[in-house]
Amino acid sequence: MKAFVFHGPGQSAWEEVPDPAIKEPTDAVVRVDAVTICGTDLHILKGDVPEVEPGTVLGHEAVGEIVEVGSDVRTVRPGDRVLVSCITSCGRCAYCRERMYGQCRGGGGWILGHLIDGTQAEYVRVPHADLSVHALPGTVTDKDAVLLADIFPTAYEVGVLNGRVRPGDTVAVVGAGPIGLAAIATARLFSPERIVAVDLAPARLEAAHRFGADAVADVHEAPAQLVADLTDGLGADVVIEAVGVPESFELCTRMVRPGGRVANVGVHGRPATLHLEDLWIKDVTITTGLVDTHSTPTLLRMAAAGRLPTAQLVTHTFPLSRMEEAYDVFRRAAETAALKVVLGGEQRELAVPTA
């Protein structure tokens, strides 16, 4: 089959690789019908995630059809249309029992496109399939569903829920890329008084308005002062960091009010300075986190009811064979105005080994 393979920082290719096969009785093999590119994939290509070894197929979110299952799989069967979650869950370890699937110690967590071959391929092997894929209702399209594999659960859980957004809050979202926009959309579910979006790209600030931001600010135009002006000098109740660079994290800590919460979502490849000389007295809570995807069933029901603006995030579509072009468009988002790119099509029969 063809897949997008990481060969080291700055090196990657869409190339032939062996077809995946069942390795454990809890595995499933999924034919990929739709896949997308995540900002984390760009971090991997830059070398920010050193655990990813050269030769790994990238990608950790997909929609597809089950083509083969191991003998212990009970919840899905060949022919089922499923969402492949970015997080794999064994369901048995202490973390999984507390719904902290991202910290799974039983061979799960974030492994697809990280520690094992991922979803940016024609087929993918999914371990622990019973808890790591979700059957899809026919009313949810591939384009909608693939955004529920990572983007919306991450923004909702690591940003909105960790930040404890409440009615009447002022929420600032630093970074109006796909995660930031999904955070804006899901923060609105909790009726904040206002949402302020901060970015450096005019197209993304326009998108933030469409997704529900009440005010926007260019990062170079004193966004902390704007938030202060809107809140009688106090600052935001909740600040969500959705970029992953030191400057954005430090901006978040300057925008939060005493007693407020900073929810870091961005993937950081460099150290950021924590200014405790200013923060120690402010009773500020800072959270970090990898998504657990415990909210995926809820978000799927909301998507089926038309309550999430999923498809609005998709700005570009490509066939799988144009993966390298799709990466280039996504990487140059400031020029191309790309939010999410979705790839699919060009299906090929899986080579099933014979006895």
Side-chain angles (χ1 to χ4, degrees):
M1 70 171 184
K2 287 287 190 73
F4 190 69
V5 182
F6 172 70
H7 290 294
Q11 303 176 63
S12 57
W14 177 252
E15 61 188 43
E16 292 279 349
V17 300
D19 289 339
I22 299 294
K23 293 183 178 181
E24 301 291 340
T26 52
D27 290 350
V29 174
V30 177
R31 184 194 71 208
V32 174
D33 294 333
V35 68
T36 185
I37 301 170
C38 180
T40 303
D41 297 320
L42 299 184
H43 281 281
I44 292 170
L45 289 175
K46 288 193 297 183
D48 290 345
V49 189
E51 300 87 2
V52 182
E53 295 184 356
T56 301
V57 176
L58 294 187
H60 49 266
E61 45 202 325
V63 170
E65 182 180 310
I66 300 284
V67 296
E68 188 179 1
V69 296
S71 59
D72 287 352
V73 175
R74 297 289 181 266
T75 62
V76 290
R77 59 186 179 180
D80 286 351
R81 178 170 167 264
V82 296
L83 170 68
V84 178
S85 175
C86 66
I87 297 297
T88 302
S89 167
C90 78
R92 297 178 178 179
C93 72
Y95 282 108
C96 286
R97 287 175 180 271
E98 295 185 13
R99 298 200 311 164
M100 296 176 64
Y101 308 130
Q103 304 302 323
C104 175
R105 292 298 183 264
W110 173 37
I111 58 173
L112 291 172
H114 181 208
L115 305 179
I116 67 172
D117 286 338
T119 59
Q120 290 170 4
E122 293 176 317
Y123 292 87
V124 60
R125 178 181 72 91
V126 182
H128 303 298
D130 276 337
L131 289 169
S132 306
V133 301
H134 300 266
L136 287 173
T139 54
V140 179
T141 69
D142 289 356
K143 188 184 293 187
D144 287 318
V146 75
L147 299 186
L148 301 178
D150 181 359
I151 295 299
F152 271 86
T154 296
Y156 181 57
E157 295 176 19
V158 186
V160 176
L161 295 185
N162 278 4
R164 304 201 310 274
V165 175
R166 296 176 296 204
D169 277 352
T170 291
V171 179
V173 179
V174 177
I179 288 286
L181 295 175
I184 291 168
T186 51
R188 287 185 60 83
L189 300 172
F190 293 85
S191 301
E193 179 181 1
R194 63 175 67 87
I195 299 175
V196 181
V198 180
D199 204 283
L200 49 76
R204 292 195 165 187
L205 292 176
E206 292 176 13
H209 266 310
R210 295 197 302 272
F211 275 75
D214 302 287
V216 300
D218 187 293
V219 72
H220 300 301
E221 296 179 354
Q225 185 59 52
L226 171 64
V227 170
D229 291 343
L230 292 171
T231 58
D232 296 324
L234 284 176
D237 299 280
V238 181
V239 187
I240 297 173
E241 198 285 338
V243 181
V245 298
E247 296 80 4
S248 61
F249 175 80
E250 292 168 30
L251 172 61
C252 289
T253 62
R254 293 195 301 272
M255 297 172 73
V256 68
R257 71 169 61 202
R261 287 88 66 195
V262 175
N264 183 89
V265 187
V267 177
H268 289 262
R270 292 180 289 141
T273 300
L274 182 62
H275 288 281
L276 285 175
E277 74 277 13
D278 299 322
L279 295 172
W280 73 270
I281 201 170
K282 293 180 67 175
D283 296 334
V284 169
T285 298
I286 298 174
T287 59
T288 66
L290 174 66
V291 65
D292 293 311
T293 65
H294 62 74
S295 68
T296 301
T298 298
L299 294 172
L300 272 172
R301 292 195 299 273
M302 294 180 67
R307 300 298 179 88
L308 293 178
T310 45
Q312 294 179 39
L313 272 172
V314 179
T315 54
H316 297 73
T317 57
F318 298 89
L320 281 174
S321 60
R322 291 168 62 187
M323 184 71 71
E324 292 173 329
E325 180 184 351
Y327 259 91
D328 180 63
V329 167
F330 188 60
R331 185 184 295 110
R332 296 185 298 109
E335 304 166 41
T336 63
L339 294 174
K340 290 297 287 182
V341 300
V342 172
L343 302 97
E346 300 177 338
Q347 297 164 1
R348 183 184 65 80
E349 291 299 318
L350 181 70
V352 179
T354 57

